[in-house]
Amino acid sequence: MNGPAADAGLDTLLADIDAARSQGLAAIAAASTADELSQTESGLFGRKSVLGRIKQGFGSLPAEMRATAGRALNEAQQELRTAHADAADEFAAAARRTQLQQEWLDLTETPPGPGRGHLHLVTQTTERLEDVFVGMGFTVSEGPQAETDWYNFEALNLPAAHPARSMWDTLYLDLGERTELGDGEGGEASSVVLRTHTSPVQIRVMESGAPPIYTICPGRVFRRDTADASHMPVFHQIEGLVVDRGISFADLAGTLEEFTSAYFGKAISSRLRPSYFPFTEPSAEFDITCVICGGAGCQTCQRTGWIELGGCGMVHPNVLANCDIDFEEWTGFAFGFGIDRLALMRHGIDDLRDMYTNDIRFLSQF
Amino acid sequence: MKVLLSWLREFAPIEGEPAELADHLSDLGMAVEEMRVLPPLDGVVVARVAGLRPHPEADRIQLVDVELPGATGEGTDGALQVCCGAFNMTEGDLVPLATVGTTMPGGLEIGERRLRGQLSQGMCCSAAEMGLGDDAEGIMILPGDLELGAPLMDQLGLAGDVLFDLEVNPNRPDAMSVAGVARDLAARLGVPFEIPEPVVIETGEDISTVASVDIIDPDLCGRFGVRVIRDVSIGPSPLWMQLRLVLCGMRPINAVVDVSNYLMLELGTPNHAYDLALVPDGHLGTRRSLGGERVVTLDGAEREMLRGDGVIVDRNDRIIGISGVMGAENTEISDRTTAVLLELAWWDRLSISRTSQRLGLRSEASMRFERGTDHELVPIALDRFCELLDRVTPGGVSVCRGRLDGRGDLPETARVRVRPARMSHLLGRPFSADELRGLLDPIGLRCAALDDDTDGALEATIPSFRPDVETETDVAEEVARHYGYGKLGRTVPRSPEPGRLTPMQRLRRDLRRVLVGAGLSEAMPNPFLAPDALRRAGIDGVEPVLLLNPLASEESVMRPSLLPGLLIAAAYNSSHRNDTVSLFEIGVVFGPPQPKGADPTARGTAAADVLPTETEHLGVIWAGGEASDAVHLTDLIATAFGLDVELANANDIEAMHPVRAAEVILGGQTVGVVGEVDPVVCERHGLAQRCAWLQVDVEPLLAAATEAAGRPYQLVSTYPSSDIDLAFAVPDSVQASQVRSTLLAAGGTELRSVELFDIYRGDQLASGTRSLAFRLRMQADDRTLTDPQVAEIRQRCIDAVENTHSAALR
């Protein structure tokens, strides 16, 4: 079947397909709910739908006509399916939106959780100091807080009745049986004190191990002091000890300078001034650039531009000898300063006592 | 120690800007704590009191007619009129007048003004107003020989003078004197230093006819020098001397006392003047007390001597002074004194230190003796005293011929071998023998080459004014000081080992962070407790370590537990309206020594036996928390460190809630306590709420954590797992954790986890019984478990629980 009659038949068929497509799209667009949409499905895609019936009639068509009409019909069906699926997605999304709206929450009305706690300022400062020294190749040593007179004084070149013992107001422990102490002079090698510095840890390190030694000793120390804005009977110190071959005073100065710029920043430097400690010789006072004024001079540094940080020096030969270290072969240096004061300085705290009230309003600030 | 630049210059030609000199002093180890340049005060001039008139309108002010060359004013006969609140001057006195336009050291500007209607044309000044000491009581009366109208500070030789306040280290006895400071500074500046030879004209009889010395205990007194001075009159010392004393922090008394103090400041030689008339035959003896003797010292206090204290006695063995500490009232200088018996001694340092500390008498003198005075200065200082006293006594004094010079045990002159190589090694910079000599000679450490020494060493002779220098290392400090600490190099030594924290130290940090992450804050309570703090905290069963010399009884007990301190901290917060704080502490608690039989004569190792035990604890207090909170925290710690921690319910643990407490068990050992604090204890501390509590021994916890940290990896199974739920009716006497352990043991390797997910108590269960529901997850590494296999494990678990715990599957 060729010729004009056949052409006319094809045109009609194509027009029918196009009409069915348009009606189908209109039906999809007309659906206002997901239910209505699903009700359109059989009318659009079922065997009895307009397009379905046209397709069923294809069997009687000549081959070339069937190909053209078939292509048109497939396109129409595809278009309807896409439109239907899009519409279905839209209804689903709208339904989900509606559902989520029900879950509205004021996030600011949530009661506070346990939150995070706070490390004590002394711990924070100690760890920061430890980290700097560990970075410089030091280990961290610890020792008992109650010590014999030997470790706290005598081994440190402070024999009994040494006048310099009055530099420390010492607390003694009452462990029974021990002989009566005369006028706070102490002196019994076996009398037990609360360590007045962490230097006894240095002695223990030297006694128990051979040089080279590069270690720091942070820890709690005790003095018979009345508490005031800048003193507490219980406070914290960090000391450092280096014993190696060829260690010199220049090594002490260089190490403290390296520490100073690592801990306080490049703008802060250090200086050493002659001083006196029984356990070091030569001894020095260790100053740093005033961290408040940067060295220009202010109230804090009494206009000198420097603040005193601690003491240091070359380990006294008697101290090395007390630990059976040959001071001709090995030399060393030691230094020490307060941890609490660094914490106060860093945060502008005026009164040391505030740090030990354990008031959560203080603790939670840091 | 305060020193005046003008005084230093009497020993060395010291020049330079004051600030520069201050830097040198600090750099030499004599830290300048304060420096004051005395202002010229040109506007304060010498004026004469021409007349005194009452103020017509005021009682407390008088009108002074002040005569000042070239000035005319409102006063009588054209004198200046000054209103003055002091009444200590008389007509004819010379006084300091601050003229109109002068700015005083305190900032006060002098202007012409009216006081109660009367014109005041300047101000008559007290010493304090001119910055010359503390005396603000009256107007300063000036000596008659000053030039009228001339600037006062100029006339007194003080204009531009510099006052340095030095901090002197205890090892520097030499720096406790003007001369010693001058010696050090002169060496630094490279200028010559000399103690001028005193000039004494002896006009009296020979001293041996009027005085004698007897050193009974030579180990106490190394040298005892005596001079006798007659024709002494006890009047005020001259203004220049008074001003120097005042500026250096001493109070002028009278000429003899002032000379004594002046000499001590100048040469560092404390001395004592007795009234010769009160010392029978002028005899001075010195010995150690046998104890029990009594003496009234110059301050009016009666002192009892202990055995060994040094004393000075007269011919009749009566105590007339405490050696090096203080004189006695019975021989004190008074207005009637006409002859002085002067003592200038060298005492054993430790003896003086002991006595002065014991008596609480730490004087300027004892401080110097303790540090060590210079025995070689004894004759010079004796003479200097005579020279000064002669100079300040109108008409002069008469000095007896000769000195007495008693000798006891003196330290031998120390000689120290100084090796240039050792100095270079210690100070980190090469020092040649010549360089060392150049630094040491000027401060009196005379160096000589040791000819036969292969190290090229020098021998330094230590001067008597440096008893602190005893060894080569001491000399190194002197070298460093005078070379300059700041000029020595800076090098950084490197440890052969890398720096690190020990595993325990790292884990202790982790532990803190786990707790902080759980919302706890770190507290640091006082480790000293009041005697009743333990009882208040419900702790009765321990004998705490006590302090022998506590500052206060509230701080006399070393804590045996962290509980009392944390309770106090919680109570403090509660009283400040923070009721629900949760705090933790990691700290040491103390217990009595536990001797392990160390050799008591070994000084180091024996320590372990005499020292109290120290145990590091973790303590957690949670005001407003319950036992379950503390248990959760325990679980959190266990999980954080990969530990199998078990709890064992325990009734009647000290300080704990009688039935809400458990022991914390790790590796079969009890390492702590968890639960709630006894409510009675809480109430005693004013804590209205429950308090959750956890205490753990840190050492075993972290030791286990260290081990757990290294455990090997367990392959994650790729096969599916199966869950089953089992609920048992279990009597209350059986801990849930026991049931769980039984399940785990019975389930075998394929039972991967057991979780308690439901607890039920109610009507459907017999009383004293509760239902515990567990979820069991089963999984194999190498296959999928079949249903019969799961059922078999399930039955094993059920059987085990029912058989072990008289429990029944529900």
Side-chain angles (χ1 to χ4, degrees):
Chain A
M1 202 164 94
N2 275 324
D7 287 352
L10 182 62
D11 286 346
T12 311
L13 194 55
L14 291 175
D16 287 349
I17 290 170
D18 193 51
R21 186 187 62 89
S22 300
Q23 280 162 15
L25 288 174
I28 290 168
S32 62
T33 67
D35 278 352
E36 285 177 25
L37 183 66
S38 66
Q39 280 163 22
T40 65
E41 266 172 49
S42 57
L44 292 174
F45 309 118
R47 285 169 60 85
K48 290 182 180 163
S49 63
V50 178
L51 288 174
R53 279 199 306 270
I54 292 173
K55 196 174 178 178
Q56 281 163 32
F58 275 10
S60 55
L61 293 179
E64 62 273 30
M65 210 168 131
R66 190 162 60 204
T68 310
R71 204 180 306 119
L73 184 118
N74 280 342
E75 279 172 13
Q77 272 185 332
Q78 194 52 50
E79 192 178 346
L80 288 175
R81 281 206 180 87
T82 306
H84 187 272
D86 287 352
D89 283 353
E90 213 162 283
F91 281 124
R96 182 117 186 113
R97 269 198 301 278
T98 311
Q99 183 202 339
L100 292 182
Q101 287 300 314
Q102 308 300 317
E103 297 176 10
W104 178 83
L105 208 59
D106 174 4
L107 276 82
T108 65
E109 80 186 3
T110 311
R116 195 184 152 81
H118 304 267
L119 287 178
H120 197 276
L121 258 192
V122 167
T123 300
Q124 293 185 27
T125 310
T126 306
E127 290 188 354
R128 206 174 284 134
L129 291 165
E130 285 173 351
D131 290 346
V132 168
F133 282 111
V134 164
M136 290 166 66
F138 285 66
T139 58
V140 179
S141 301
E142 299 169 57
Q145 295 177 6
E147 278 288 13
T148 57
D149 190 88
W150 165 259
Y151 283 109
N152 196 70
F153 290 123
E154 245 188 282
L156 289 158
N157 199 32
L158 274 154
H162 193 293
R165 280 199 178 198
S166 60
M167 289 163 77
W168 300 271
D169 288 317
T170 310
L171 286 163
Y172 291 85
L173 293 186
D174 179 5
L175 296 167
E177 294 169 44
R178 235 138 292 290
T179 41
E180 203 46 34
L181 294 164
D183 310 302
E185 254 180 60
E188 285 288 318
S190 61
S191 63
V192 176
V193 306
L194 289 174
R195 66 182 180 193
T196 56
H197 38 203
T198 57
S199 314
V201 182
Q202 296 187 27
I203 301 296
R204 287 176 178 273
V205 169
M206 286 190 279
E207 269 184 359
S208 61
I213 295 166
Y214 290 76
T215 197
I216 51 163
C217 322
R220 181 168 273 191
V221 298
F222 306 81
R223 302 269 170 91
R224 197 170 182 273
D225 260 342
T226 309
D228 63 28
S230 51
H231 296 88
M232 286 294 279
V234 181
F235 59 103
H236 302 82
Q237 251 191 3
I238 186 166
E239 296 188 6
L241 172 72
V242 168
V243 182
D244 204 344
R245 286 192 179 84
I247 290 295
S248 72
F249 193 84
D251 291 327
L252 166 63
T255 300
L256 288 177
E257 177 65 18
E258 186 173 72
F259 160 73
T260 301
S261 66
Y263 186 85
F264 295 99
K266 294 259 178 252
I268 304 296
S269 60
S270 65
R271 73 169 184 189
L272 301 183
R273 281 183 296 114
S275 188
Y276 170 72
F277 304 102
F279 27 79
T280 50
E281 187 81 25
S283 300
E285 210 73 57
F286 161 32
D287 295 346
I288 58 164
T289 316
C290 178
V291 292
I292 307 294
C293 63
C298 66
Q299 192 116 38
T300 304
C301 60
Q302 291 165 328
R303 275 161 286 281
T304 60
W306 296 92
I307 45 181
E308 214 173 287
L309 204 67
C312 60
M314 299 297 289
V315 181
H316 198 287
N318 292 354
V319 175
L320 293 173
N322 283 335
C323 302
D324 292 328
I325 292 174
D326 176 2
F327 60 82
E328 284 289 326
E329 182 180 358
W330 304 98
T331 48
F333 64 75
F335 56 85
F337 49 89
I339 293 174
D340 307 60
R341 196 165 138 249
L342 288 186
L344 299 192
M345 272 162 52
R346 190 181 190 93
H347 298 284
I349 301 164
D350 291 330
D351 195 324
L352 183 54
R353 288 167 294 194
D354 291 350
M355 211 151 68
Y356 293 100
T357 55
N358 301 309
D359 190 325
I360 194 71
R361 294 166 298 177
F362 179 91
L363 297 175
S364 60
Q365 287 184 39
F366 308 102
Chain B
M1 171 82 195
K2 289 178 174 168
V3 292
L4 270 172
L5 180 56
S6 60
W7 205 343
L8 292 172
R9 283 189 176 137
E10 291 179 14
F11 298 91
I14 291 162
E15 297 298 334
E17 286 300 310
E20 221 171 276
L21 296 176
D23 284 346
H24 280 306
L25 288 165
S26 289
D27 197 44
L28 286 166
M30 297 171 286
V32 177
E33 290 187 319
E34 201 194 334
M35 180 185 83
R36 197 149 69 87
V37 180
L38 302 182
L41 280 179
D42 288 336
V44 179
V45 297
V46 180
R48 191 197 313 276
V49 177
L52 295 161
R53 291 172 283 132
H55 189 295
E57 307 286 332
D59 304 342
R60 296 179 152 193
I61 307 175
Q62 63 174 335
L63 298 177
V64 188
D65 293 315
V66 179
E67 178 195 341
L68 183 63
T72 52
E74 295 284 301
T76 313
D77 300 332
L80 295 172
Q81 174 174 299
V82 174
C83 297
C84 183
F87 292 83
N88 65 319
M89 59 274 215
T90 53
E91 202 178 306
D93 281 347
L94 294 190
V95 294
L97 176 74
T99 53
V100 170
T102 307
T103 305
M104 301 306 286
L108 176 70
E109 273 191 50
I110 306 299
E112 203 173 75
R113 59 200 182 110
R114 285 188 183 275
L115 278 159
R116 294 281 180 97
Q118 292 293 321
L119 192 67
S120 187
Q121 302 172 297
M123 179 177 82
C124 296
C125 304
S126 70
E129 281 160 336
M130 293 181 290
L132 298 175
D134 302 330
D135 191 355
E137 281 300 296
I139 300 306
M140 187 185 235
I141 308 298
L142 302 172
D145 55 359
L146 297 187
E147 186 190 330
L148 202 61
L152 175 67
M153 293 294 274
D154 234 18
Q155 288 282 297
L156 296 174
L158 289 175
D161 207 346
V162 187
L163 184 66
F164 299 101
D165 191 354
L166 309 177
E167 184 192 353
V168 176
N169 291 319
N171 66 329
R172 290 292 308 281
D174 64 305
M176 291 299 288
S177 68
V178 176
V181 173
R183 182 191 292 113
D184 230 21
L185 190 54
R188 168 59 67 91
L189 298 174
V191 297
F193 163 85
E194 195 186 15
I195 296 179
E197 186 95 21
V199 178
V200 181
I201 299 148
E202 299 173 326
T203 53
E205 68 272 48
D206 196 288
I207 189 167
S208 59
T209 62
V210 290
S212 53
V213 168
D214 182 12
I215 298 177
I216 300 158
D217 283 316
D219 64 324
L220 167 70
C221 179
R223 195 164 184 182
F224 199 115
V226 176
R227 274 267 193 192
V228 173
I229 307 155
R230 295 195 183 277
D231 301 334
V232 171
S233 57
I234 308 296
S237 65
L239 187 64
W240 66 266
M241 180 173 274
Q242 290 191 23
L243 282 173
R244 277 197 171 173
L245 290 173
V246 162
L247 287 168
C248 295
M250 304 209 79
R251 208 157 52 87
I253 310 283
N254 61 48
V256 175
V257 176
D258 291 357
V259 163
S260 171
N261 285 332
Y262 188 95
L263 176 63
M264 175 178 69
L265 295 180
E266 183 175 77
L267 297 181
T269 48
N271 52 87
H272 186 69
Y274 302 85
D275 186 332
L276 180 65
L278 301 176
V279 181
D281 303 333
H283 178 85
L284 298 173
T286 180
R287 60 166 171 84
R288 291 190 186 277
S289 172
L290 295 172
E293 295 165 285
R294 290 171 179 279
V295 61
V296 178
T297 44
L298 286 177
D299 55 3
E302 192 186 51
R303 315 269 178 184
E304 187 181 334
M305 298 294 100
L306 289 188
R307 189 182 181 85
D309 285 335
V311 292
I312 295 135
V313 293
D314 67 7
R315 177 163 298 297
N316 306 316
D317 207 33
R318 173 184 64 146
I319 297 183
I320 55 173
I322 304 175
S323 302
V325 178
M326 196 177 269
E329 233 176 38
N330 51 21
T331 48
E332 188 181 358
I333 300 287
S334 71
D335 293 348
R336 295 182 302 277
T337 304
T338 58
V340 162
L341 182 61
L342 173 67
E343 163 205 318
L344 221 141
W346 185 93
W347 303 105
D348 173 56
R349 292 157 63 181
L350 280 183
S351 304
I352 305 304
S353 162
R354 248 194 317 265
T355 304
S356 71
Q357 275 188 41
R358 179 178 70 75
L359 295 173
L361 270 176
R362 307 207 66 184
S363 59
E364 290 281 334
S366 71
M367 218 162 70
R368 285 173 172 79
F369 283 125
E370 270 176 51
R371 296 177 184 213
T373 54
D374 180 4
H375 53 80
E376 286 185 6
L377 269 183
V378 166
I380 298 161
L382 282 171
D383 288 1
R384 176 66 172 155
F385 187 102
C386 300
E387 181 186 51
L388 284 168
L389 190 60
D390 185 59
R391 198 171 139 200
V392 305
T393 307
V397 293
S398 163
V399 179
C400 288
R401 194 158 60 252
R403 324 174 186 103
L404 299 178
D405 194 352
R407 298 296 183 114
D409 302 340
L410 281 174
E412 285 190 22
T413 303
R415 286 174 222 288
V416 174
R417 185 158 168 260
V418 180
R419 292 165 294 171
R422 179 72 176 172
M423 292 295 123
S424 307
H425 167 173
L426 280 175
L427 303 179
R429 179 197 172 277
F431 281 100
S432 68
D434 282 346
E435 224 174 334
L436 293 174
R437 199 187 289 231
L439 291 166
L440 295 172
D441 276 350
I443 51 168
L445 277 69
R446 304 276 169 215
C447 294
L450 285 171
D451 292 337
D452 50 352
D453 195 295
T454 48
D455 293 338
L458 301 168
E459 186 180 71
T461 304
I462 309 303
S464 52
F465 51 82
R466 289 306 303 270
D468 57 300
V469 179
E470 292 170 325
T471 65
E472 190 178 28
T473 319
D474 297 332
V475 174
E477 180 170 275
E478 293 309 296
V479 171
R481 255 186 353 104
H482 278 276
Y483 180 76
Y485 275 24
K487 280 159 61 190
L488 292 168
R490 286 179 172 184
T491 47
V492 184
R494 282 295 168 218
S495 167
E497 300 282 329
R500 67 196 172 280
L501 298 177
T502 63
M504 293 283 267
Q505 287 165 346
R506 267 189 290 109
L507 288 168
R508 197 196 278 129
R509 285 187 173 196
D510 291 348
L511 176 58
R512 284 198 161 93
R513 278 169 178 74
V514 166
L515 296 163
V516 163
L520 300 157
S521 287
E522 187 182 16
M524 286 202 180
N526 195 343
F528 302 143
L529 299 176
D532 71 335
L534 292 179
R535 186 195 54 76
R536 283 171 56 81
I539 301 169
D540 296 317
V542 294
E543 201 57 53
V545 175
L546 302 178
L547 286 164
L548 195 59
N549 58 338
L551 208 54
S553 79
E554 289 72 47
E555 301 190 338
S556 62
V557 177
M558 299 304 295
R559 61 179 179 192
S561 157
L562 299 184
L563 178 62
L566 284 170
L567 274 170
I568 292 166
Y572 178 91
N573 281 292
S574 175
S575 72
H576 290 80
R577 307 193 61 216
N578 286 305
D579 297 321
T580 55
V581 293
S582 47
L583 301 171
F584 78 93
E585 180 186 14
I586 294 178
V588 166
V589 299
F590 298 81
Q594 289 177 351
K596 297 185 180 65
D599 174 7
T601 56
R603 59 198 183 187
T605 47
D609 274 7
V610 299
L611 292 180
T613 56
E614 292 185 25
T615 318
E616 192 172 31
H617 279 187
L618 160 67
V620 174
I621 198 161
W622 190 329
E626 303 201 349
S628 57
D629 294 315
V631 170
H632 285 151
L633 207 56
T634 315
D635 286 344
L636 182 68
I637 294 168
T639 318
F641 294 109
L643 304 176
D644 285 325
V645 168
E646 291 168 55
L647 302 184
N649 289 337
N651 292 349
D652 301 319
I653 296 182
E654 205 172 58
M656 299 297 289
H657 189 295
V659 294
R660 286 193 174 195
E663 291 182 336
V664 180
I665 295 167
L666 181 62
Q669 277 196 309
T670 302
V671 296
V673 177
V674 63
E676 286 173 23
V677 179
D678 187 342
V680 177
V681 169
C682 294
E683 274 163 36
R684 227 179 259 150
H685 286 81
L687 292 163
Q689 292 171 285
R690 292 177 183 279
C691 273
W693 172 252
L694 168 66
Q695 178 259 305
V696 185
D697 279 19
V698 172
E699 208 270 339
L701 179 79
L702 296 187
T706 309
E707 219 167 284
R711 79 160 61 123
Y713 169 62
Q714 296 224 295
L715 200 71
V716 173
S717 172
T718 52
Y719 295 91
S721 61
S722 314
D723 289 356
I724 56 163
D725 293 349
L726 295 176
F728 297 95
V730 184
D732 285 340
S733 60
V734 177
Q735 287 190 193
S737 63
Q738 291 173 304
V739 178
R740 184 172 175 274
S741 300
T742 304
L743 287 168
L744 277 168
T749 52
E750 268 112 37
L751 177 57
R752 290 296 152 91
S753 68
V754 174
E755 258 176 63
L756 178 64
F757 71 91
D758 190 44
I759 303 140
Y760 170 75
R761 282 184 169 84
D763 298 341
Q764 296 156 30
L765 290 158
S767 91
T769 304
R770 82 282 203 203
S771 162
L772 301 173
F774 294 92
R775 177 157 298 156
L776 284 64
R777 171 160 293 185
M778 283 162 279
Q779 190 179 31
D781 286 337
D782 52 356
R783 65 190 191 286
T784 304
L785 291 175
T786 62
D787 285 350
Q789 284 167 334
V790 169
E792 195 231 312
I793 298 169
R794 178 176 182 274
Q795 195 54 50
R796 273 207 317 261
C797 289
I798 294 167
D799 291 349
V801 170
E802 289 188 337
N803 294 338
T804 318
H805 300 302
S806 56
L809 184 72
R810 293 187 68 223

